[in-house]
Amino acid sequence: MSTFVTKGPIAEEQLSLFMLTVWVTFAVFIVVGGVFVYAVIKFRERPNDDRPMPSQGHGNPLVEIGLIGASILLLVIIAVPTLQAIWFTQDTPDDPESRLGSWYRGEGLAEEEAENPLIIKVIGYQWWWAFEYPQLGITTANEMVIPAGKVVHLELRSVDVIHSFWLPRIAGKVDLIPGRTNAMWIQAGDNFVKWKEKKGLAGEGPELRADYATYLKDEIHNYYYGQCAEFCGESHARMLFRATVVGDEAFTAWVADEKTGHATPDGKSWDEWYSAYDKNPEQLTGDLNDGLKLFMGRGKCATCHKVQGNPRALGVAGPNLTNVGSRQSIAAGWLNHRAEDGSIDIEQQYDNFYKWIHEPNVVKPGNLMWKANGGGIGELIDENGEPALLTEEEINKLSLYLQSLK
Ligand code: CUA
């Protein structure tokens, strides 16, 4: 999460602004510190020193006006690029190659959408992130996927308190404020024109394009770590997120996958599955079916979570769980199961799901899943109204079911 390793124009701009400020303040430090050290050494009292006390004057107009002038000059040197950077960050550029229609291969785009860059609505919740892709009709949570080298316009909102979007290597930070929409744009890697400019290359042609594609693949395609950067309550420190930067093809495939969502565990149609579930759930057997029955029934998961494909899992209070089994972390990045080689550590993933369902109040103190006015899993009761938390076996099956959502 270093802001010194920049992977995009916004982070670069912010780094150069930071360095400018560092150099200006460093110069001030050297000048002031130098005068101070000079005075201490030159005018210190020595043994047997019989020099008279220097005259104690103050108020030299020349020095005072000079210092005021120098301060103003330094502030202007910092302020002008700062304002430029603020505008640069806010105004999403119109890059023809970034327009959705020029790179997204999937279907179902309205014509006017094709002219815009990819838009992602980033919505902050205590303590997780929703990422909506309105042009593509999909929503994911905590792990956003974006295409390399393309401008992405972000709309930042919050449903509860102020959060802040910070993806250090790519861009940051802009606050998510309840009742208003902030905007920024991000871009992982340079576009073709900027890349050529930096390399000192000119022209067009398939070879250059291939080199550019290699640059994106080798240097930009990656998994980036983000974090909420504004104190937002007791689990603020556990409000992380991720961005996976991929090529156009992989992005298009990911969108298609998100749109399709999930089938039933045993290959029945959802209608068949639900008619069995409603009549006699006992006919639906196996760990995954048991997990899904708990997801819809006693676990109350579907009250708050949506799973694409499943016609009755439509909750919106919690993260969308479509393809949650393909994500490399859960609980907003706090429980990680990404192995060093970038694959998913299946055993770790199981442990994380288990831990999260077993004791979400410990993993993320204060979260709604544990205690949501009679709906949370910490408040589950049996037929007699007695507390009845999920058993180990139930949590096991729910975990297996969630792992299968990929
Ligand atoms: Cu959200 Cu801190």
Side-chain angles (χ1 to χ4, degrees):
M1 287 181 63
S2 170
T3 46
F4 291 93
V5 184
T6 58
K7 294 289 180 183
I10 299 277
E12 248 168 54
E13 179 81 8
Q14 289 169 336
L15 177 61
S16 66
L17 198 56
F18 173 74
M19 291 315 297
L20 173 76
T21 313
V22 166
W23 287 120
V24 168
T25 46
F26 186 66
V28 170
F29 173 75
I30 292 296
V31 170
V32 174
V35 170
F36 176 71
V37 169
Y38 171 79
V40 164
I41 292 171
K42 167 116 189 176
F43 299 110
R44 75 186 191 280
E45 191 176 11
R46 296 179 177 86
N48 306 321
D49 199 342
D50 53 1
R51 289 177 299 173
M53 180 79 91
S55 75
Q56 300 295 298
H58 53 80
N60 181 327
L62 200 66
V63 172
E64 284 186 4
I65 291 171
L67 287 177
I68 291 170
S71 307
I72 291 174
L73 180 70
L74 291 177
L75 288 177
V76 168
I77 290 175
I78 294 175
V80 171
T82 300
L83 286 172
Q84 283 172 338
I86 290 172
W87 280 310
F88 177 74
T89 311
Q90 291 231 316
D91 296 341
T92 306
D94 182 19
D95 170 15
E97 298 203 359
S98 287
R99 289 176 195 155
L100 202 48
S102 46
W103 61 269
Y104 175 64
R105 317 249 191 278
E107 314 215 319
L109 273 188
E111 196 170 317
E112 60 274 22
E113 304 288 20
E115 293 297 307
N116 290 324
L118 176 66
I119 296 170
I120 302 179
K121 291 184 180 175
V122 179
I123 303 163
Y125 290 75
Q126 284 173 316
W127 292 271
W128 58 279
W129 306 80
F131 299 111
E132 292 181 18
Y133 296 65
Q135 298 143 310
L136 307 170
I138 59 172
T139 299
T140 189
N142 300 323
E143 297 199 359
M144 67 198 301
V145 177
I146 56 173
K150 306 293 190 299
V151 171
V152 179
H153 178 82
L154 300 185
E155 284 178 15
L156 308 158
R157 302 152 192 262
S158 168
V159 298
D160 37 47
V161 300
I162 301 178
H163 304 276
S164 183
F165 180 92
W166 187 38
L167 191 53
R169 289 187 183 188
I170 297 176
K173 311 162 177 171
V174 175
D175 279 4
L176 291 72
I177 300 174
R180 64 166 285 152
T181 304
N182 280 346
M184 68 186 291
W185 63 281
I186 60 174
Q187 185 176 330
D190 294 315
N191 64 12
F192 186 51
V193 175
K194 186 78 184 284
W195 172 80
K196 280 195 295 188
E197 206 179 288
K198 278 191 188 166
K199 291 258 168 198
L201 300 168
E204 269 295 323
E207 262 173 50
L208 264 186
R209 284 281 170 183
D211 286 352
Y212 174 63
T214 308
Y215 148 76
L216 288 181
K217 194 157 175 297
D218 293 349
E219 295 180 36
I220 305 301
H221 290 192
N222 207 341
Y223 187 74
Y224 295 86
Y225 295 81
Q227 165 79 47
C228 176
E230 176 78 40
F231 180 72
C232 56
E234 57 201 305
S235 285
H236 154 70
R238 301 171 184 202
M239 185 172 170
L240 291 65
F241 67 99
R242 317 287 197 219
T244 305
V245 178
V246 297
D248 301 350
E249 307 291 338
F251 182 84
T252 303
W254 175 76
V255 171
D257 211 26
E258 289 285 307
K259 278 187 169 176
T260 311
H262 302 283
T264 61
D266 48 16
K268 286 189 175 67
S269 75
W270 281 105
D271 279 350
E272 284 167 351
W273 195 91
Y274 274 115
S275 74
Y277 177 73
D278 292 338
K279 278 189 211 119
N280 177 15
E282 302 293 313
Q283 322 164 26
L284 300 165
T285 54
D287 285 348
L288 295 184
N289 268 330
D290 286 346
L292 177 54
K293 286 190 281 185
L294 284 161
F295 189 89
M296 301 309 301
R298 204 168 100 72
K300 297 186 186 177
C301 313
T303 321
C304 294
H305 297 285
K306 184 175 161 79
V307 175
Q308 184 69 21
N310 184 335
R312 292 194 200 171
L314 299 170
V316 292
N320 187 310
L321 295 182
T322 309
N323 287 320
V324 69
S326 302
R327 295 182 202 155
Q328 314 219 3
S329 63
I330 59 166
W334 188 243
L335 298 178
N336 183 61
H337 35 260
R338 180 179 165 87
E340 269 180 31
D341 63 1
S343 65
I344 290 178
D345 178 338
I346 299 292
E347 281 171 31
Q348 184 66 50
Q349 185 188 40
Y350 174 84
D351 290 347
N352 287 347
F353 274 122
Y354 191 96
K355 187 180 171 72
W356 174 237
I357 301 168
H358 180 53
E359 44 184 16
N361 53 327
V362 174
V363 175
K364 195 169 285 197
N367 87 87
L368 282 179
M369 183 163 113
W370 181 248
K371 194 169 174 63
N373 301 325
I377 60 174
E379 301 182 338
L380 290 177
I381 48 170
D382 65 15
E383 311 86 70
N384 307 317
E386 297 295 322
L389 296 181
L390 294 169
T391 64
E392 285 183 14
E393 188 50 27
E394 287 173 326
I395 298 177
N396 167 49
K397 286 174 174 174
L398 267 172
S399 303
L400 291 172
Y401 174 68
L402 290 168
Q403 276 193 295
S404 78
L405 295 179
K406 57 187 175 190

